[in-house]
Amino acid sequence: MADPIDDLDRWLRGDFVRINTALEEAYFAERIDVISGRPEIDALKRELLQQGGPLMDRLAAMTLPVDPNAGYRLLGLIGHYLAACERHESPLSDREGGRQAAWAVSTKIGNALGVVPRFVFAHQSLFNEAVGGRYRTFTALPDEEIFIRYNALGVLAYYRAAEALRAIANIGVSSVVAAYLFDQAEAALNDVLRFNQDLARQLNVERFFFNIRPYFKTYRVGDTDYRGANAGDFSAINEIDVTLGLCSMNDPFYAAIVREKSHHVPPDDLGVLRSLAKRRSIAEMFKADQDANGATPQWKTNAAKFLAICKAHGAAYAFHHQRLVKAYVEAPSKTASSAHSAGVTSSGPPLDEVMGMLKRLMELRTARPNLNVP
Ligand code: HEM
């Protein structure tokens, strides 16, 4: 008998995509984010549950993978199904659609790995292997593929910048060798901006709002509602903020954001987030080195590079705020109809609150550190 995990993966790449796409096209034709109580649409939702339910039940009967990566991958596969059930507001009781089996397996994996027992964005961006060149998507809509592609590229570029900056702690800010790392970090952050711009050029606002965003909503696992997935659930952006000295874990506003996201990030990122409270920032290193040794020519060269990095970080994040969040979520939410019972944000709080939090983060990230460069 075929492996239940392989069967689930095959289904997620086949009929699951067909059903979701058919539902999305029906919603899009009416520019609404969900339709309920219409026979042909309810029949598609029933098909989703009738096919997905037995696959979940089979998972509950098997021995779960011991390897952490395999477990994390399985959590994402199950989460794709649960997220789709939630997105379509499928009319089902706790006993239907294999939900109890899906919850039991997700809870076991979540507890073992110290992560929330649900699908998070990393399952789509970083733990999503391509088969024949195609990674898992909820639908066959080109906009969804574009959304995942540029999000994943942006996240990878943030990791690259974080890694370059991390290495500077052991080299010192006035080293000629550090100059190479500063250049690497700046190039990576320029890539983030470029990927965000490519995303904004290619992603249709209405398609995102009606057909993509709703898959990232809050869903329930057992007795608990777990907040939705968002593309910010990875450690690198916070590592960059703190390492540059733009944000600090001593700031209660910022520390609360990092704490809140910590169980939504991939398992390896948790250690990085925990280490942030002890990080010495590069801005502090520049000041200490200048106080002790004066501003040597290499100190000045590297300080200019550091300021260029801060500028690139601010520019990429300001673009996210102005051209992605405002254009794809805030603006359409004022004019488009939403039939969903949950709000339009992925985290749950009202949009105004989320916008206020994101604006404050933008202000921190676009601030220019004062290095007193002579
Ligand atoms: C169409 C594209 C995008 C839209 C509409 C969007 C929208 C949002 C929204 C609404 C939030 C707040 C989530 C909530 O709490 O409800 C958020 C958070 C976040 N997003 Fe995006 N986003 C997009 C793409 C990206 C990309 C490509 C990246 C990075 C590679 C990114 C990085 C972040 C980060 C880091 C956060 C967490 C808050 C923070 O630390 O700034 N987003 N985004």
Side-chain angles (χ1 to χ4, degrees):
M1 199 175 181
D3 180 76
I5 301 177
D6 291 344
D7 282 349
L8 172 58
D9 186 39
R10 211 167 303 117
W11 178 68
L12 288 174
R13 293 172 192 269
D15 270 356
F16 176 76
V17 170
R18 173 185 59 77
I19 296 167
N20 285 328
T21 308
L23 285 165
E24 297 305 335
E25 292 296 17
Y27 307 152
F28 194 72
E30 302 194 14
R31 300 296 192 273
I32 186 93
D33 53 6
V34 71
I35 298 172
S36 300
R38 201 185 292 170
E40 76 285 8
I41 289 180
D42 285 351
L44 281 166
K45 294 184 189 180
R46 264 197 309 279
E47 203 184 341
L48 184 77
L49 305 176
Q50 277 158 4
Q51 294 190 8
L55 289 165
M56 297 299 130
D57 290 333
R58 281 181 64 205
L59 293 177
M62 68 175 273
T63 310
L64 294 180
V66 183
D67 173 58
N69 271 336
Y72 196 65
R73 173 177 178 270
L74 176 57
L75 184 59
L77 299 186
I78 299 171
H80 269 69
Y81 172 62
L82 290 176
C85 291
E86 187 74 33
R87 182 267 169 279
H88 299 299
E89 306 209 326
S90 305
L92 78 179
S93 71
D94 285 6
R95 291 179 181 281
E96 290 169 295
R99 289 226 289 185
Q100 286 181 334
W103 291 341
V105 176
S106 301
T107 304
K108 260 190 221 159
I109 298 174
N111 287 344
L113 298 178
V115 297
V116 285
R118 61 155 288 149
F119 149 80
V120 295
F121 195 74
H123 287 118
Q124 262 199 322
S125 54
L126 305 176
F127 292 80
N128 190 352
E129 72 284 1
V131 172
R134 183 146 183 112
Y135 38 76
R136 268 182 299 276
T137 50
F138 287 101
T139 69
L141 300 174
D143 286 273
E144 191 195 343
E145 194 280 323
I146 286 167
F147 176 68
I148 295 172
R149 188 190 332 163
Y150 288 108
N151 267 285
L153 290 169
V155 170
L156 290 175
Y158 271 128
Y159 277 113
R160 192 175 135 226
E163 198 182 333
L165 293 174
R166 195 183 311 150
I168 290 171
N170 299 324
I171 291 173
V173 289
S174 57
S175 164
V176 68
V177 177
Y180 171 71
L181 296 170
F182 282 121
D183 287 343
Q184 282 290 311
E186 188 193 349
L189 290 168
N190 286 335
D191 280 351
V192 174
L193 176 61
R194 182 166 57 85
F195 293 139
N196 282 352
Q197 288 167 333
D198 287 344
L199 178 59
R201 253 193 300 274
Q202 296 179 46
L203 181 65
N204 179 277
V205 171
E206 286 192 316
R207 280 291 184 188
F208 176 77
F209 192 81
F210 291 115
N211 300 138
I212 299 170
R213 173 194 58 84
Y215 287 96
F216 298 93
K217 296 164 108 37
T218 298
Y219 68 74
R220 186 152 67 93
V221 178
D223 295 332
T224 312
D225 284 323
Y226 288 92
R227 67 113 162 125
N230 80 51
D233 290 332
F234 63 101
S235 61
I237 189 159
N238 305 99
E239 187 175 3
I240 295 166
D241 293 338
V242 173
T243 309
L244 291 177
L246 297 170
C247 302
S248 160
M249 294 297 283
N250 294 326
D251 169 0
F253 163 77
Y254 189 78
I257 288 175
V258 172
R259 207 175 315 113
E260 193 282 327
K261 78 155 68 167
S262 62
H263 294 286
H264 294 256
V265 298
D268 288 350
D269 286 25
L270 193 54
V272 176
L273 291 181
R274 287 198 180 121
S275 74
L276 294 184
K278 291 186 228 113
R279 284 285 165 105
R280 189 176 180 218
S281 78
I282 292 178
E284 283 166 340
M285 289 167 68
F286 269 113
K287 281 179 196 140
D289 198 6
Q290 187 184 23
D291 289 347
N293 310 303
T296 62
Q298 191 66 49
W299 184 98
K300 284 191 205 165
T301 303
N302 289 357
K305 289 178 187 293
F306 168 73
L307 292 174
I309 293 172
C310 295
K311 198 168 165 199
H313 187 39
Y317 197 70
F319 190 92
H320 171 266
H321 193 73
Q322 304 293 355
R323 303 292 302 281
L324 297 179
V325 181
K326 284 193 174 179
Y328 286 88
V329 180
E330 192 184 40
S333 71
K334 289 189 178 136
T335 51
S337 337
S338 173
H340 258 289
S341 48
V344 297
T345 62
S346 62
S347 56
L351 184 58
D352 285 357
E353 225 174 273
V354 172
M355 291 307 293
M357 182 269 293
L358 293 176
K359 182 164 175 275
R360 188 141 170 225
L361 280 170
M362 181 179 66
E363 285 159 4
L364 293 169
R365 289 177 180 143
T366 50
R368 191 181 158 84
N370 180 8
L371 284 193
N372 279 331
V373 180

